[in-house]
Amino acid sequence: MADLSVNIGKLQLKNPVMTASGTFGYGLEFADFVNLEDIGGIIVKGTTLKPREGNPYPRMAETPQGMLNCVGLQNKGVDYFCGHIYPQIKDIRTNMIVNVSGSCCEDYAECAARINELERIPAIELNISCPNVKQGGMAFGVTAEGASAVVKAVRKAYDKTLIVKLSPNVTNVADIARSVEDAGADAVSLINTLMGMAIDIEKRRPVLSIATGGLSGPAVKPVALRMVWQVAKAVKIPVVGLGGIMNARDAIEFLLAGASAIEIGTANFIDPAVTVKVARGIDEYLERHGCRSVREIIGALGE
Amino acid sequence: MADLSVNIGKLQLKNPVMTASGTFGYGLEFADFVNLEDIGGIIVKGTTLKPREGNPYPRMAETPQGMLNCVGLQNKGVDYFCGHIYPQIKDIRTNMIVNVSGSCCEDYAECAARINELERIPAIELNISCPNVKQGGMAFGVTAEGASAVVKAVRKAYDKTLIVKLSPNVTNVADIARSVEDAGADAVSLINTLMGMAIDIEKRRPVLSIATGGLSGPAVKPVALRMVWQVAKAVKIPVVGLGGIMNARDAIEFLLAGASAIEIGTANFIDPAVTVKVARGIDEYLERHGCRSVREIIGALGE
Amino acid sequence: MQEFDIPFGIYLFYKMKKYILDLTLTANEHLRAGYALLKLTHEQPLPEMCPGQFAELKVEGSETTFLRRPISINYVDEEKNEVWFLIHEIGDGTRNLGAMEVGDKLNVVMPLGKGFTMPSSGDEKVLLVGGGVGTAPLLFLGKEMVKLGCRPTFLLGGRSAGDLMQLDMFRALGDVYITTEDASEGEKGFVTQHSVLQREHFDRIATCGPKPMMVAVARYARSKGIPCEVSLENMMACGVGACLCCVENTTEGHLCVCKEGPVFNTNRLLWQI
Amino acid sequence: MQEFDIPFGIYLFYKMKKYILDLTLTANEHLRAGYALLKLTHEQPLPEMCPGQFAELKVEGSETTFLRRPISINYVDEEKNEVWFLIHEIGDGTRNLGAMEVGDKLNVVMPLGKGFTMPSSGDEKVLLVGGGVGTAPLLFLGKEMVKLGCRPTFLLGGRSAGDLMQLDMFRALGDVYITTEDASEGEKGFVTQHSVLQREHFDRIATCGPKPMMVAVARYARSKGIPCEVSLENMMACGVGACLCCVENTTEGHLCVCKEGPVFNTNRLLWQI
Ligand SMILES: Cc1cc2nc3c(=O)[nH]c(=O)nc-3n(C[C@H](O)[C@H](O)[C@H](O)COP(=O)(O)OP(=O)(O)OC[C@H]3O[C@@H](n4cnc5c(N)ncnc54)[C@H](O)[C@@H]3O)c2cc1C
Ligand SMILES: Cc1cc2nc3c(=O)[nH]c(=O)nc-3n(C[C@H](O)[C@H](O)[C@H](O)COP(=O)(O)OP(=O)(O)OC[C@H]3O[C@@H](n4cnc5c(N)ncnc54)[C@H](O)[C@@H]3O)c2cc1C
Ligand SMILES: Cc1cc2nc3c(=O)[nH]c(=O)nc-3n(C[C@H](O)[C@H](O)[C@H](O)COP(=O)(O)O)c2cc1C
Ligand SMILES: Cc1cc2nc3c(=O)[nH]c(=O)nc-3n(C[C@H](O)[C@H](O)[C@H](O)COP(=O)(O)O)c2cc1C
Ligand code: FES
Ligand code: FES
């Protein structure tokens, strides 16, 4: 068995496989299918300062090798998280990471500050890229200035590992990555969903309640991989790669493109045990290629 | 049979189905499979002022429900087109439209001026969005200023129908659409390919010769549809929709989203006769829904 | 650790463990055009399941089907170690399922969701109302009720006689009343127009079928003050309460049909009843 | 109107019309592990095809196969109105093709590309060199040469005896020489080491197989001044010269393998021979 451990800032992962926010609940929903402690990190649902009901139904549409969602950050707010969810997940022996969202810098910072107090949460992932909420969300993620402002605000309030999740719905993702690096992020993760749409031609109206939603799954993998490659070349901080990863082969593509770790989202819906299979598959690949550590293949892309 | 005719600027199409540049050659390659005159318009290969050899091999990678290409505008230049191709295609009784590319405003304008002289070419599609060439190409397509400059230059040199093809690799496609509308475009078409990447994990290098390429096919359809919808709301000129259209249902989604016509690209590789099938399928849908004309469903999207 | 403190009001249904299983098809019976009854088994004893719960089926060989498909548990044959799914072939996914052949493997995640409330005594008079493929979960429900000593009453509706499936099995479990819109079997009309509703009193109603039917049943139940549970459909992605795609508007806010349901007491729903 | 004035140096091969056909599988013979010989027919007479041409096959039921797959025409049986494809199962697409069952439909676009140059007289001594699945087009080529009165010489290579397929059919057409790397059949070594190359003189060589083999054959041909044609592989999308994805570097610039090839005279290639 190869050494699968990687570091993201001060965060130590036993393997580079994490779960993507919004697709793995609080981990507990998958406890029947996988040993949660075999996963490098679990990034839980998007959490906001105040509770949110999310968008009306329908929130989901299937697309060719992908899906659209417009959940819209439904969650019971950070207080509920700290009081009710945290006690249930704090003893899971892997990195439990909270995905934090907001609609203004203050909200983001206050939410992060609250989570900073939770001993067993070693990192947050700042979601500045959600396409499914009217205010804030993606707005921060699409300009270097917006991204920088929110990261600076959170950085003051949060002293553990700060991962910033980038939007793919931009002209130049490397610029935005550099701006959040300068603003103090410990790592970036990408991609969040691509903004898309589906139409019901019989009813002649959008399938989703708010017309548009975020595209995820294998369909977006080529775009995600390109962006991870561009960002890994542009910044010095670690990059976490995601978008359409279905198996170990996909995961290794992201590692080779320069990602220090990866996240698995939509694939959990197709195979609830996919995470541990990917970790095992990476190990097999390393063995086959005579690598002692997964770190040997991170960014190891020839011409 | 419903009335399938639509207008794009001064251009009259017998039906809203066109072929996407770079995927249908000069039409002749498909003459064994479909009656070319049953297609609303044929947009031929990207043409540049000077001949181009394109990128080295490999230029193609298959992806989940899509493909990447980095052909890089291989073509023999506008002189060769005018002298050798035009005589062969000028008598095909449908709209033969030339897709024009360049690396600076002058090249675009000169190329367009040459094509302006060809009697049987009623329109050009200006490709300001090719992700596969180093200079120019997409660079023009990703800023409102760049797009506006090249459209203004071409508008002076070209007096027939000018369709401008937009890049999806941008933060705000509606802004760019508005800027080319203001610069004098008669119509916009979108989307060109999304920039993506694929990696060969055994060889540990990118699959494509220039690392990245343009993603097309069903995988991109949700993104394309969303952008067409956004642009159709933002501009008054007609919108031509494309990206992943495989069948009549897909085409109708684009029409409902606000496209006055559609283009079919990658689907021609899967079924060389798809174009006429889509035209027929649109007709059947209209009959079934009691519509006399396809124009009744353009932009007819409820909430 | 795996216990949930009711976040979002979600709770585990009998804390039942969920499994990912590769089942083997033992029979595919085409009960009528467009409907397939799949019978599947496993080399291990099948897990415990409750009526109203469902499974997420992985569709193989369909280029257009990306996500799993939620299908109710139609019946469990403990002796044969079989689980049955009744499939209405309405799209590519269900058509591929309906085309399965004996010996084929089917990957399922199950059992999922919260099923019907079981009667607290054998004396309860329970009415089970189904329409179309919505009759599927009622067969298993009826069977489990019989085990508890109940004799359920079934009220099944269809457009015409040919629409009704598995009638023999229903009849073996309890009284069966039928309505058809064309009067080809039973009384003419919709289920809520059936005379048995006037004649008899019920302590509890469970229903599954097209939404207009379920709304009408719920309205009847409310008018009589009878507790009523409905099994809802919804577009699902994860099936385990993780993605929050499949919400229903309830008195407690947005609840996930896959986890808090698919069975809900109508009192919790914000339907216009 | 459909005639091409050699744009990009591309010309129509005998101006042959291309068809989209739904063929029916009449046999699937597993010649050895991982290789399937598909025999297909059509209710109409099959179109005219030339050796070296290929077809684009639509793979059904594979979630990961999006594009068609280019496969050489292995053989045409005019009497039975059959076309054969020899499939090496190396990925999802070819594995799905290899799993086809008698009676299944296969959608093909054919015939595509430019095949081998045929000898100008029956007196020409032609050497056909193949390796691995690259022997596939040589069977059809040999057959057509025999029709012209030639007796072709086949030189076939493999790692070991079990790798060689359709030997009986080759032997019925001409002399067959074999090399295997493990000496389990014929001479030991690579095809270019076979003694027949020293003993006999050939007027023309055609080859198909792994690139290193084809390069070695081309080098031999050049050293002897013999005209040599090779059949190239390439990643294809359209298969008809429309997308320009499948280029090979030639003395005339980038040429499409699907339209200007797949067969090229080695003089036109920029290979390091
Ligand atoms: C808890 C639950 C239990 C179910 N039990 C059964 C059952 O026992 N037997 C059975 O035949 N079906 C059942 N269904 C419905 C079944 O899941 C859908 O019919 C199936 O997913 C359709 O897939 P498809 O690929 O065939 O159709 P698609 O091509 O995906 O869709 C065809 C049409 O059906 C609609 N549709 C698709 N999925 C759903 C859905 N989940 N809910 C409502 N409409 C949908 C689409 O919008 C579209 O108009 C159940 C659904 C749920 C949520
Ligand atoms: C003109 C032509 C004629 C051919 N004739 C035959 C034939 O008669 N019999 C036969 O078995 N095969 C033939 N091939 C090769 C065949 O097309 C590929 O093996 C097939 O496309 C692989 O598809 P797949 O889905 O099984 O593999 P994939 O999963 O797509 O790929 C598996 C591996 O093979 C490589 N590969 C895929 N396609 C090609 C290709 N076209 N060329 C080179 N490498 C590729 C991939 O990079 C990957 O490493 C021919 C190819 C061409 C271009
Ligand atoms: C149903 C659903 C809900 C999601 N919710 C969130 C969220 O709350 N916060 C977030 O940052 N990303 C969210 N995402 C985005 C995913 O974390 C991930 O970035 C995206 O799905 C791409 O990865 P994938 O293709 O592996 O799914 C969500 C995605 C899905 C499908
Ligand atoms: C092989 C290939 C070559 C292309 N060449 C061009 C081109 O020369 N000019 C252009 O504007 N678009 C070109 N495109 C983009 C298509 O015209 C189209 O915008 C894109 O493929 C999306 O549509 P689709 O999903 O229907 O293919 C090319 C696409 C492909 C796949
Ligand atoms: S389907 Fe994911 S929460 Fe219900
Ligand atoms: S595959 Fe399209 S040009 Fe050859």
Side-chain angles (χ1 to χ4, degrees), chain A residues 269, chain C residues 56 235-247 256-259:
Chain A
F269 307 157
Chain C
E56 282 272 14
M235 302 293 285
M236 292 183 180
C238 74
V240 297
C243 75
L244 310 187
C245 283
C246 66
V247 288
C256 291
V257 170
C258 71
K259 190 158 185 180

Side-chain angles (χ1 to χ4, degrees), chain A residues 63-65 68 142 169-171 194-199 201-202 204-206 211-212 215 218-219 222-223 225-226 229-230 249 252-253 256-257 285 288-289 291 297 300-303, chain B residues 63-65 68 142 169-171 194-199 201-202 204-206 211-212 215 218-219 222-223 225-226 229-230 249 252-253 256-257 285 288-289 291 297 300-303:
Chain A
T63 68
Q65 287 291 304
L68 291 164
V142 297
N169 300 292
V170 297
T171 308
L194 273 166
M195 196 176 160
M197 185 175 184
I199 289 175
I201 67 165
E202 298 305 325
R204 295 201 200 169
R205 60 174 200 230
T212 61
L215 182 65
V223 175
L225 192 64
R226 181 263 296 183
W229 179 71
Q230 290 178 321
R249 229 201 63 184
I252 293 161
E253 288 191 57
L256 288 169
Y285 173 89
R288 189 152 48 79
H289 284 251
C291 302
I297 67 166
L301 198 65
E303 275 312 292
Chain B
T63 68
Q65 288 290 305
L68 291 164
V142 297
N169 301 292
V170 297
T171 308
L194 273 166
M195 197 176 159
M197 186 175 182
I199 289 175
I201 67 165
E202 298 305 326
R204 294 201 200 168
R205 59 173 201 232
T212 61
L215 183 65
V223 175
L225 193 64
R226 180 263 295 182
W229 180 70
Q230 290 178 322
R249 229 201 63 184
I252 294 160
E253 287 192 56
L256 288 169
Y285 174 89
R288 189 154 48 79
H289 284 252
C291 302
I297 67 166
L301 197 66
E303 275 311 289

Side-chain angles (χ1 to χ4, degrees), chain C:
Chain C
M1 171 200 105
Q2 296 178 21
E3 200 161 331
F4 238 112
D5 176 31
I6 320 193
F8 313 117
I10 289 166
Y11 57 93
L12 290 183
F13 189 58
Y14 304 145
K15 292 177 194 151
M16 289 169 72
K17 189 166 152 61
K18 308 178 199 69
Y19 297 84
I20 309 171
L21 298 173
D22 275 314
L23 303 181
T24 306
L25 196 78
T26 54
N28 179 352
E29 295 167 18
H30 284 277
L31 300 187
R32 51 180 284 241
Y35 288 81
L37 176 62
L38 304 181
K39 301 185 175 179
L40 297 127
T41 190
H42 196 247
E43 59 265 30
Q44 303 288 316
L46 288 168
E48 208 195 328
M49 296 167 250
C50 293
Q53 288 190 302
F54 67 100
E56 282 272 14
L57 279 51
K58 173 105 185 63
V59 179
E60 300 291 343
S62 162
E63 284 147 48
T64 53
T65 308
F66 174 62
L67 296 165
R68 287 173 182 265
R69 294 294 186 257
I71 300 289
S72 296
I73 294 164
N74 171 235
Y75 195 74
V76 176
D77 185 330
E78 286 95 354
E79 268 169 48
K80 293 195 180 155
N81 195 38
E82 276 182 357
V83 57
W84 299 5
F85 299 113
L86 180 60
I87 311 280
H88 183 185
E89 300 171 15
I90 59 159
D92 270 4
T94 47
R95 263 192 297 274
N96 264 271
L97 290 169
M100 283 184 68
E101 293 172 13
V102 171
D104 284 356
K105 297 280 177 197
L106 179 68
N107 186 274
V108 303
V109 180
M110 69 173 197
L112 300 174
K114 185 185 158 303
F116 294 99
T117 306
M118 297 305 283
S120 46
S121 95
D123 299 335
E124 272 189 30
K125 281 214 66 175
V126 192
L127 178 68
L128 310 185
V129 189
V133 79
T135 60
L138 302 184
L139 187 66
F140 184 32
L141 177 58
K143 183 196 171 198
E144 294 298 301
M145 287 186 166
V146 168
K147 271 195 199 164
L148 296 176
C150 281
R151 187 175 160 79
T153 303
F154 297 97
L155 175 51
L156 309 175
R159 222 157 302 161
S160 111
D163 292 356
L164 301 157
M165 290 168 287
Q166 304 182 300
L167 281 184
D168 289 350
M169 298 205 62
F170 281 112
R171 290 195 173 114
L173 297 170
D175 297 324
V176 176
Y177 299 95
I178 286 170
T179 60
T180 51
E181 292 172 38
D182 66 357
S184 53
E185 181 147 353
E187 295 185 12
K188 181 178 160 80
F190 299 110
V191 280
T192 40
Q193 299 170 319
H194 197 283
S195 60
V196 71
L197 296 181
Q198 309 310 321
R199 285 198 310 271
E200 292 190 32
H201 166 79
F202 298 100
D203 300 318
R204 180 187 289 283
I205 298 181
T207 181
C208 183
K211 184 157 175 189
M213 186 204 85
M214 294 199 290
V215 171
V217 171
R219 194 173 291 137
Y220 165 82
R222 177 167 302 175
S223 74
K224 302 272 180 181
I226 307 169
C228 178
E229 286 181 335
V230 297
S231 176
L232 301 184
E233 287 213 1
N234 204 298
M235 302 293 285
M236 292 183 180
C238 74
V240 297
C243 75
L244 310 187
C245 283
C246 66
V247 288
E248 176 74 28
N249 256 326
T250 74
T251 52
E252 299 136 71
H254 281 139
L255 292 184
C256 291
V257 170
C258 71
K259 190 158 185 180
E260 181 67 0
V263 175
F264 288 88
N265 188 302
T266 52
N267 283 336
R268 297 172 76 194
L269 303 179
L270 300 185
W271 287 7
Q272 303 299 332
I273 299 182

Side-chain angles (χ1 to χ4, degrees), chain D residues 18-27 37-49 54-60 68-69 71-77 80-87 97 100-112:
Chain D
K18 309 177 201 69
Y19 297 84
I20 309 172
L21 299 173
D22 275 315
L23 303 181
T24 307
L25 196 78
T26 54
L37 176 62
L38 305 181
K39 301 184 175 179
L40 297 128
T41 190
H42 196 248
E43 58 264 31
Q44 302 288 317
L46 288 168
E48 207 195 329
M49 295 166 251
F54 66 101
E56 283 273 12
L57 280 52
K58 174 106 184 62
V59 179
E60 300 291 343
R68 287 174 181 264
R69 293 295 186 255
I71 300 289
S72 296
I73 293 164
N74 172 233
Y75 195 73
V76 177
D77 185 330
K80 294 195 178 154
N81 196 38
E82 275 182 359
V83 57
W84 298 6
F85 300 113
L86 180 60
I87 310 279
L97 290 169
M100 285 184 67
E101 293 171 12
V102 172
D104 285 355
K105 297 280 178 197
L106 179 69
N107 186 275
V108 303
V109 180
M110 68 173 199
L112 301 175

